[in-house]
Amino acid sequence: MQRQPSDASSTLTDAFEEGAGAAQTQRIFRQEHEFVRDDDADAENARRWETRMARRYYDALHKEYAICDLSRWREGAVGLRWRTAAEVTSGKGERICAARGCDSRDGLRSFELPFEYVEQGEKKLELVKCRACRSCAKKLKGRKRSRSRSRSRDRSRRDRKKKKKEKSKAPVVPEADVKFMDTLRRDIQENGPVRSNHLNAFYKRHPEIKPKGSGAGTWIAKRCQHYGLIVKKPEKYGGAMEFQLAPTSSRKLNIVADRQEDRPPSQLPDHRLINKL
């Protein structure tokens, strides 16, 4: 006849014989307890009564199946512990659902869970088996989905903040480009429209401007709307583009072009109205 293992709760009672008080025993037990103990480390520290107490409690546990706590499954957190002798005798965790507070006996299934936990400041991972009913099994599976959903929500939230921050930043325009377009607009005000195939004449009138290379017409056309200019498309494919001043009603000027001395006479304020005010 095999000797039945003692209940794990009796080992804490036996600890008082070692000369420790109740409060001190609980505090030391929390420090020394490990979910999965190392046999070699316990053998080296066998002289310490704290290690012997924790080891006696650990040996009294049944580690085939675990008891699970699903009270925080929506947060993606599940608590696991080994079964005591009383739970093994009653069938809790094997013939009865392993979830705390659940006494279902129907539709039990075995699961092997990768249990990740932090113990004594060290991150550990163990494979633990438990048996659960259908409703509790959904919670065990749902913890992974809820954790992945929360991670995806955090990732998408960070991406939205990053995109919003990038959009809020004003694009940096080189000073040479601003000077080029400002000079071109002034030249059009004084001498009329400029064609893309006649830019050499524009460069001769303004030697302080650095000439653009090939594709200068396309480069200017992309920036015209920001400097109060419009582009007249050629009648034939491959023809020259013509740059003109935008009509007064629909003209939009940027910060550089929005100076009073650079505006055409039609856009200057009426000093007679200003004097009346």
Side-chain angles (χ1 to χ4, degrees):
M1 183 176 180
Q2 295 181 353
R3 181 175 176 269
Q4 294 293 334
S6 60
D7 193 353
S9 59
S10 64
T11 59
L12 293 179
T13 306
D14 297 340
F16 291 103
E17 301 175 0
E18 302 282 350
Q24 184 181 1
T25 302
Q26 293 180 2
R27 178 179 58 81
I28 295 175
F29 178 74
R30 291 192 183 97
Q31 295 176 356
E32 297 293 332
H33 176 70
E34 296 181 13
F35 187 70
V36 177
R37 300 191 67 85
D38 187 359
D39 297 338
D40 296 336
D42 289 345
E44 293 178 1
N45 300 322
R47 293 184 178 182
R48 299 177 66 249
W49 74 268
E50 296 92 343
T51 304
R52 294 198 303 271
M53 177 189 67
R55 186 69 194 189
R56 285 160 60 186
Y57 180 83
Y58 181 77
D59 292 338
L61 296 173
H62 295 257
K63 309 170 193 63
E64 183 180 3
Y65 296 105
I67 302 297
C68 56
D69 185 356
L70 302 176
S71 58
R72 295 173 54 189
W73 72 274
R74 294 183 184 277
E75 303 175 15
V78 173
L80 296 177
R81 66 169 176 82
W82 300 120
R83 298 186 298 164
T84 62
E87 291 171 335
V88 173
T89 304
S90 64
K92 180 65 174 177
E94 187 173 3
R95 299 189 304 273
I96 305 175
C97 180
R100 292 182 57 186
C102 181
D103 298 328
S104 177
R105 297 174 178 264
D106 301 330
L108 299 182
R109 295 181 59 187
S110 297
F111 297 90
E112 191 173 29
L113 305 174
F115 185 45
E116 185 177 346
Y117 60 100
V118 177
E119 191 175 65
Q120 298 178 1
E122 183 181 356
K123 194 173 183 180
K124 299 181 180 180
L125 178 65
E126 298 289 342
L127 289 177
V128 183
K129 290 194 300 182
C130 68
R131 289 177 60 79
C133 61
R134 290 185 178 180
S135 60
C136 295
K138 291 180 180 178
K139 296 178 181 179
L140 284 173
K141 295 178 181 179
R143 71 186 183 93
K144 298 180 181 179
R145 290 196 293 267
S146 61
R147 186 178 298 177
S148 61
R149 287 174 183 173
S150 62
R151 289 177 179 175
S152 62
R153 285 196 298 267
D154 295 341
R155 192 181 301 110
S156 60
R157 192 180 296 111
R158 288 195 300 268
D159 294 341
R160 287 196 299 269
K161 287 183 178 179
K162 186 177 180 181
K163 291 180 180 179
K164 188 176 180 180
K165 189 175 181 180
E166 291 177 355
K167 288 182 180 179
S168 62
K169 292 182 179 179
V172 180
V173 182
E175 187 66 27
D177 296 348
V178 175
K179 185 177 181 181
F180 183 95
M181 293 300 299
D182 198 19
T183 305
L184 177 64
R185 183 176 55 79
R186 292 180 183 179
D187 187 86
I188 294 175
Q189 289 178 351
E190 297 174 359
N191 303 315
V194 175
R195 297 176 63 87
S196 59
N197 57 350
H198 294 162
L199 288 176
N200 289 332
F202 166 73
Y203 294 144
K204 290 181 180 179
R205 290 194 296 269
H206 303 280
E208 72 279 3
I209 297 299
K210 183 178 180 180
K212 299 292 182 181
S214 59
T218 305
W219 185 89
I220 296 172
K222 292 180 179 179
R223 293 159 176 79
C224 278
Q225 60 178 348
H226 302 294
Y227 291 86
L229 303 176
I230 59 173
V231 182
K232 185 178 180 182
K233 296 183 179 180
E235 297 179 357
K236 296 182 179 180
Y237 179 79
M241 294 179 290
E242 188 175 274
F243 308 114
Q244 304 175 356
L245 285 176
T248 305
S249 58
S250 61
R251 186 176 179 185
K252 297 180 181 180
L253 300 177
N254 69 338
I255 299 176
V256 177
D258 197 16
R259 297 195 295 261
Q260 275 197 4
E261 62 270 17
D262 296 337
R263 295 180 186 178
S266 59
Q267 290 190 352
L268 290 176
D270 194 344
H271 294 284
R272 291 173 298 177
L273 297 177
I274 295 177
N275 294 331
K276 288 182 180 180
L277 295 176

